């Protein structure tokens, strides 16, 4: 019953996205820092972030919220991709990662094969690397 009421309330509203997750994380970080530093300014800035996050979450202007998220992802996308790539390379003990010298494409080759010739799938360039 409560679930249906929540679904009816949220119908036509924007909901959550990557920008809201970032804003909520930033809110929590600023709130915790304001507690330890005892800064009233940080407290009010964090409160404003929380208010803006809830505003975006409950907004009915879907197109505007989508455009905000697209702009955020354009700005933060390279950083997010770099973090995901670093995490994958640390976890993957069976492969070595290289960048193509011609186009910059990331390539993965099996570890422990010695010196091998790698051909880039993107641009077709061949180069030798030690795995």
């Amino acid at each position: 019953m409560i679930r249906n009421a929540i679904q009816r309330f949220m119908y036509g509203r924007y909901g959550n996205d990557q920008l809201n997750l970032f804003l909520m994380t930033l809110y929590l970080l600023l709130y915790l820092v304001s507690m330890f530093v005892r800064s009233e300014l940080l407290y009010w800035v964090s409160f404003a972030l929380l208010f803006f996050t809830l505003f975006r979450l409950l907004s009915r202007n879907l197109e505007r919220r989508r455009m905000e998220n697209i702009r955020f992802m354009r700005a933060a996308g390279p950083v997010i991709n770099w973090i995901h790539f670093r995490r994958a390379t640390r976890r993957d003990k069976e492969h070595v990662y290289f960048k193509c010298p011609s186009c910059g494409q990331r390539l993965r080759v099996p570890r422990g094969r010695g010196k091998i010739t790698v051909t880039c799938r993107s641009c077709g360039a061949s180069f030798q690397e030690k795995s």
Side-chain angles (χ1 to χ4, degrees):
M1 183 166 168
I2 293 175
R3 185 176 185 188
N4 289 337
I6 292 172
Q7 286 176 344
R8 274 184 271 142
F9 175 74
M10 286 301 291
Y11 182 77
R13 310 227 182 232
Y14 183 67
N16 215 0
D17 62 5
Q18 292 90 353
L19 177 55
N20 270 3
L21 292 173
F22 173 76
L23 291 173
M24 188 59 82
T25 304
L26 188 60
Y27 155 73
L28 289 172
L29 182 70
L30 286 177
Y31 182 74
L32 289 173
V33 169
S34 74
M35 286 177 51
F36 289 114
V37 178
R38 299 195 192 276
S39 170
E40 195 168 322
L41 176 66
L42 280 178
Y43 171 77
W44 288 109
V45 169
S46 68
F47 186 73
L49 273 173
L50 178 63
F51 180 75
F52 183 63
T53 304
L54 290 173
F55 168 76
R56 289 189 78 253
L57 182 80
L58 299 174
S59 175
R60 289 184 185 253
N61 191 347
L62 304 180
E63 188 59 32
R64 189 157 186 185
R65 301 294 87 84
R66 281 188 196 117
M67 292 307 294
E68 290 170 352
N69 191 52
I70 288 171
R71 284 194 304 269
F72 170 74
M73 289 307 291
R74 278 190 196 135
V79 174
I80 294 169
N81 290 339
W82 182 80
I83 290 170
H84 288 300
F85 176 70
R86 294 294 297 170
R87 186 181 326 153
T89 57
R90 273 197 309 265
R91 290 180 181 171
D92 190 2
K93 302 297 181 195
E94 298 174 6
H95 297 93
V96 178
Y97 291 83
F98 299 107
K99 260 192 170 181
C100 174
S102 299
C103 66
Q105 176 74 29
R106 291 186 184 127
L107 304 169
R108 183 180 79 162
V109 296
R111 190 180 293 272
R113 302 289 173 133
K115 200 169 201 173
I116 59 172
T117 302
V118 180
T119 303
C120 178
R121 289 188 214 153
S122 180
C123 67
S126 293
F127 56 96
Q128 283 195 343
E129 288 292 336
K130 186 177 180 182
S131 64

